[in-house]
Amino acid sequence: MNVLGFETSCDETAVSICSNGKIVSSIVASQQNHSKFGGVVPEVASRMHEKLLLTTMKKCLDDSKISKKKIDAIAVTIGPGLMGALLTGVSFAKGLSVGLNIPLIGVNHMEAHLFSNFIEYPDLEFPFLCLLVSGGHTQIWKVKNFRDYILLGDTRDDAAGEAFDKGARLLGLSYPGGIEIEKQSKNGNSNKYKFPLALYNSKEIEFSFSGLKSSLLRFSQKFNGEIPKNIISDVAASYQKAIVDSLLNKLKLAEQKTKISTIVIGGGVAANQSLREKTSIIFKNSRVLFPSLQLCTDNAAMIAFLGEKLIKKGFKSNISVGVYPNLKLNDLK
Ligand code: KG4
Ligand code: ZN
């Protein structure tokens, strides 16, 4: 079976083909237009998706050497994400599904991040713990089985990716902030400055990152909003450490509470090298899995992969399926 998947929930226009569990082609057109605004501008993202969808699909089909006629189903992200951005992908996918007379399957973006681990680790077994860390989410899930997910902990305010993005802005770095902070941190001393680790000693599995961002804002105000260039890498490294340590502290708590020793991490922040290294050290007696870097940040491979799984299990979306900007992992449409 060949499934053509589309991802347009935010600022990546992505198309992929999954054939019987294998990713044959995965093309991601990252929109560069947002960096000068320090974040994603929804209207700009929608317009760029409109512009890029057809060419990205053509590239994907050429790359896979699979003709359109050989596509058996269309998978598309239906949420969560930006309303207009989601609509561009879903409308495009619906048109293809009708035109080619093949089934359509709407995919939950967060469930796809969770499942992206199965692409590279097909032997991954339930139950496992999943830390989902992206621009909009910071959650720990107990994944008991397919579509049997229990939320163990969430953030009270900002997501970890948001903390990276807002922190980068305060440091005068460009968007997306995570990768920029990571680059700066490479030459920095992460113990130089102490940033707060909210809820660190609480026995609840929950996160909070808004205080961390405010603390960086206060720090930058000491320099009239412009942190001197010669200390940026130390500040970035210390700030990154605060985010990573907060995440791992609660992941450890979740492991202790559930006694589950398989841990998977998904979402854009999972690309962070410091998070990857520290997780492997702290959980050295557990099985820890990270998707490869291109599967951490937004992509359509995870959409096509989960779409194929769902189709094979008998799921199918109606052509009238909507878009769901606030879709939760457990809200299965
Ligand atoms: O999953 P994703 O690509 O999009 C959403 O679904 O939100 O995640 C994007 C987030 C952004 O906040 C970005 O700054 C962060 O992931 N990110 C990183 C890294 N690469 C992307 N954060 C830390 N380190 C990275 N290397
Ligand atoms: Zn994502």
Side-chain angles (χ1 to χ4, degrees):
M1 171 178 262
N2 297 319
V3 175
L4 180 61
F6 293 90
E7 157 60 37
T8 64
S9 66
C10 193
D11 59 336
E12 252 84 39
T13 312
V15 185
S16 171
I17 295 177
C18 182
S19 299
N20 300 316
K22 296 266 168 304
I23 303 303
V24 186
S25 171
S26 175
I27 308 286
V28 181
S30 292
Q31 302 176 3
Q32 304 302 332
N33 322 48
H34 305 279
S35 55
K36 59 177 177 284
F37 301 109
V40 178
V41 183
E43 177 64 18
V44 174
S46 309
R47 289 179 190 214
M48 287 305 293
H49 286 311
E50 284 290 325
K51 212 172 187 169
L52 291 168
L53 265 165
L54 188 60
T55 47
T56 312
M57 179 185 76
K58 281 188 174 152
K59 254 190 221 163
C60 179
L61 287 165
D62 284 353
D63 183 51
S64 69
K65 306 205 170 41
I66 292 175
S67 83
K68 233 187 276 170
K69 286 193 197 116
K70 293 267 166 63
I71 300 295
D72 301 294
I74 305 288
V76 64
T77 303
I78 53 169
L82 302 169
M83 173 70 123
L86 288 165
L87 268 174
T88 62
V90 170
S91 310
F92 193 92
K94 282 182 180 178
L96 271 177
S97 159
V98 171
L100 298 172
N101 195 23
I102 53 177
L104 175 74
I105 180 78
V107 173
N108 181 323
H109 181 92
M110 297 318 292
E111 193 179 25
H113 270 306
L114 192 158
F115 267 81
S116 62
N117 278 283
F118 283 99
I119 300 177
E120 291 163 323
Y121 308 104
D123 63 335
L124 171 60
E125 281 180 11
F126 300 108
F128 56 84
L129 290 179
C130 180
L131 172 67
L132 276 180
V133 263
S134 67
H137 292 78
T138 302
Q139 297 176 329
I140 298 178
W141 289 87
K142 176 172 168 181
V143 181
K144 290 173 76 180
N145 212 325
F146 175 69
R147 300 232 152 151
D148 188 356
Y149 315 138
I150 295 172
L151 182 62
L152 299 179
D154 205 340
T155 177
R156 283 189 186 179
D157 39 58
D158 292 351
E162 214 175 338
F164 271 112
D165 295 334
K166 289 177 176 171
R169 223 177 299 163
L170 292 168
L171 288 164
L173 304 172
S174 60
Y175 178 87
I179 193 137
E180 293 300 318
I181 289 191
E182 176 167 24
K183 262 192 228 158
Q184 288 292 333
S185 301
K186 294 238 154 77
N187 307 314
N189 173 0
S190 62
N191 294 314
K192 182 86 190 188
Y193 302 101
K194 288 269 166 292
F195 287 105
L197 301 170
L199 307 170
Y200 198 82
N201 294 317
S202 111
K203 289 289 161 224
E204 299 300 318
I205 305 173
E206 57 176 342
F207 303 96
S208 168
F209 292 104
S210 65
L212 173 64
K213 174 202 62 194
S214 307
S215 147
L216 182 59
L217 174 65
R218 283 193 299 277
F219 183 88
S220 82
Q221 283 165 345
K222 285 195 235 160
F223 304 97
N224 294 323
E226 231 175 277
I227 298 172
K229 293 257 178 306
N230 61 326
I231 64 165
I232 292 268
S233 13
D234 288 342
V235 181
S238 306
Y239 186 81
Q240 173 177 272
K241 179 177 189 288
I243 298 176
V244 169
D245 288 355
S246 300
L247 293 173
L248 293 181
N249 174 42
K250 297 300 178 180
L251 193 55
K252 191 77 201 165
L253 190 58
E255 188 204 38
Q256 285 162 354
K257 284 192 177 190
T258 60
K259 313 254 178 311
I260 294 178
S261 61
T262 302
I263 290 160
V264 313
I265 311 207
V269 178
N272 186 275
Q273 216 48 50
S274 168
L275 176 65
R276 295 168 88 96
E277 282 161 16
K278 279 194 169 172
T279 310
S280 304
I281 295 168
I282 290 176
F283 296 95
K284 59 178 184 303
N285 297 323
S286 305
R287 186 174 189 212
V288 179
L289 304 177
F290 286 95
S292 58
L293 295 190
Q294 67 273 18
L295 285 174
C296 288
T297 44
D298 286 349
N299 64 86
M302 64 184 191
I303 306 300
F305 179 81
L306 179 55
E308 185 187 29
K309 256 193 192 316
L310 292 172
I311 294 265
K312 285 191 169 164
K313 285 180 185 285
F315 292 90
K316 184 180 170 229
S317 295
N318 196 289
I319 199 68
S320 62
V321 67
V323 296
Y324 306 92
N326 300 316
L327 192 64
K328 306 275 181 287
L329 184 58
N330 266 340
D331 284 347
L332 302 163
K333 298 282 175 195

